[in-house]
Amino acid sequence: PLANDSGDASKQYFSDGLSQDLITALTQFEGLKVISRDSAFQFRGSKDSPAVIAAKLGVAHLLEGAVQHQGDEVRISVTLVNASDGSTLWSQHYDKPYKDLFALQDAITQAVATALKARLLVASGAVVQSERPPSGNLDAYTAYQHGIAFDAIATETSEYRAIDAFGEAVRIDPEYAAAHGRLAFAWTSLASSFLVDAAKIAQAKVEAHKSADAALKLSPDSALAHMARGFVLQNADLDWAGAETEYQRALQLAPNDANALFRLGNILAIRGQLKRATELTRQALATDPRNASWYKWLSAYLAALGRMDDAG
């Protein structure tokens, strides 16, 4: 993750959000194996050498840098490192107005892709994915990034705060499909993992459905929107066939998305397709190799297949 050099710990969400956006953008280039947030962020502030970090993640290059966000200005320094010898393949320093943030993200993504001689994905059915507000409203984007940060904490209190933040993003930009999708995830997680009152659970499920429907109506080609609906169908409705259909579509739209790979694998395991679930989960772990939860699921699938040595 890009370091927060703003001198304000509360701005961590901003550097993390920028890091996540770069990950999302780079996964859409052919031939690039891009490590997911959960694994990459474990090396925040690491003193390990590039070679050691790369070996732990199974990659050849590291993108590192720092972000300063103060007032209406953004300063970003970014370096692309050849992990084997620590040499610099590309480096750039940017000073831009905050209002140019999305153009700046695009410039960094394209520069990295060019340095690695990568091309946009040409997979059948794949569509460029984005979690930016369609209006370009940076206040909506900021609220969205706060929601991501709260959701990652995964407690009942943090889920409510995530719901408030995503709701604020939607209030600012009602056509923000990604925010609607994240709301669907948060309401479903709240209902399935934390709430015990039947009336509150029922209302949370209603909100989850409304948010998932809104996300898909606004952006039918959003992998996140399809995963959100799949998550609601799987965990709120126990509609496993419907969830599988949504996850299949999400993976078609975003073939390199580790979450789409994992979620499809998970629902296929529930439906008895353990061999395929194992294959998909291994693919997901290739780009999120330090996700302990996914290894737990993979172990369960292998054990159910009778492959006890592999499961252990």
Side-chain angles (χ1 to χ4, degrees):
L2 301 178
N4 171 28
D5 277 5
S6 299
D8 180 354
S10 69
K11 294 289 182 66
Q12 186 68 60
Y13 78 91
F14 180 77
S15 56
D16 284 356
L18 180 57
S19 301
Q20 176 62 61
D21 283 354
L22 290 172
I23 289 171
T24 300
L26 289 169
T27 58
Q28 296 170 75
F29 283 85
E30 190 174 16
L32 289 189
K33 171 188 173 183
V34 185
I35 299 301
S36 297
R37 174 187 177 124
D38 288 348
S39 288
F41 278 33
Q42 291 184 30
F43 292 91
R44 186 195 308 279
S46 174
K47 302 301 182 184
D48 288 341
S49 69
V52 169
I53 294 174
K56 291 178 178 179
L57 293 174
V59 295
H61 305 90
L62 301 178
L63 187 65
E64 58 186 23
V67 182
Q68 289 183 358
H69 176 205
Q70 295 178 332
D72 294 330
E73 298 295 320
V74 176
R75 174 174 293 178
I76 302 177
S77 58
V78 194
T79 302
L80 183 65
V81 177
N82 186 330
S84 63
D85 59 9
S87 62
T88 297
L89 293 180
W90 167 81
S91 182
Q92 187 64 50
H93 182 89
Y94 301 88
D95 282 296
K96 295 286 186 181
Y98 179 51
K99 65 182 178 62
D100 294 338
L101 179 65
F102 296 142
L104 179 54
Q105 290 177 354
D106 290 342
I108 295 171
T109 300
Q110 189 55 57
V112 173
T114 299
L116 295 175
K117 299 180 175 61
R119 299 177 302 155
L120 277 172
L121 275 170
V122 293
S124 176
V127 175
V128 173
Q129 301 293 311
S130 174
E131 295 185 32
R132 297 175 182 173
S135 65
N137 188 296
L138 289 167
D139 289 335
Y141 177 77
T142 296
Y144 181 84
Q145 294 301 336
H146 275 121
I148 295 291
F150 287 129
D151 189 57
I153 299 171
T155 65
E156 181 176 352
T157 299
S158 70
E159 288 294 359
Y160 274 118
R161 297 189 72 180
I163 286 167
D164 288 342
F166 292 134
E168 175 67 5
V170 167
R171 186 193 65 77
I172 296 169
D173 185 350
E175 297 188 357
Y176 199 167
H180 285 286
R182 294 288 184 181
L183 270 172
F185 273 110
W187 279 116
T188 304
S189 294
L190 192 66
S192 61
S193 300
F194 300 108
L195 297 180
V196 294
D197 180 83
K200 289 183 178 180
I201 291 172
Q203 184 57 42
K205 289 180 179 181
V206 169
E207 295 296 335
H209 273 287
K210 284 168 52 179
S211 296
D213 290 346
L216 273 176
K217 182 178 180 180
L218 290 165
S219 186
D221 288 336
S222 165
L224 173 61
H226 284 280
M227 280 190 279
R229 174 173 277 177
F231 193 70
V232 175
L233 293 174
Q234 178 181 353
N235 295 284
D237 298 351
L238 303 184
D239 178 0
W240 297 334
E244 179 184 341
T245 297
E246 295 298 336
Y247 294 150
Q248 291 276 15
R249 180 57 178 152
L251 188 58
Q252 183 183 30
L253 291 163
N256 287 342
D257 191 296
N259 280 296
L261 287 161
F262 171 77
R263 294 191 188 285
L264 179 57
N266 184 246
I267 201 68
L268 289 178
I270 289 172
R271 304 197 74 201
Q273 300 180 47
L274 289 165
K275 184 176 180 181
R276 180 60 176 152
T278 298
E279 294 168 352
L280 289 166
T281 306
R282 288 192 187 281
Q283 290 178 46
L285 283 166
T287 54
D288 202 350
R290 299 175 70 82
N291 191 318
S293 175
W294 291 1
Y295 282 107
K296 178 191 72 174
W297 284 104
L298 178 60
S299 177
Y301 304 157
L302 290 167
L305 285 168
R307 297 166 56 183
M308 302 306 294
D309 289 343
D310 292 335

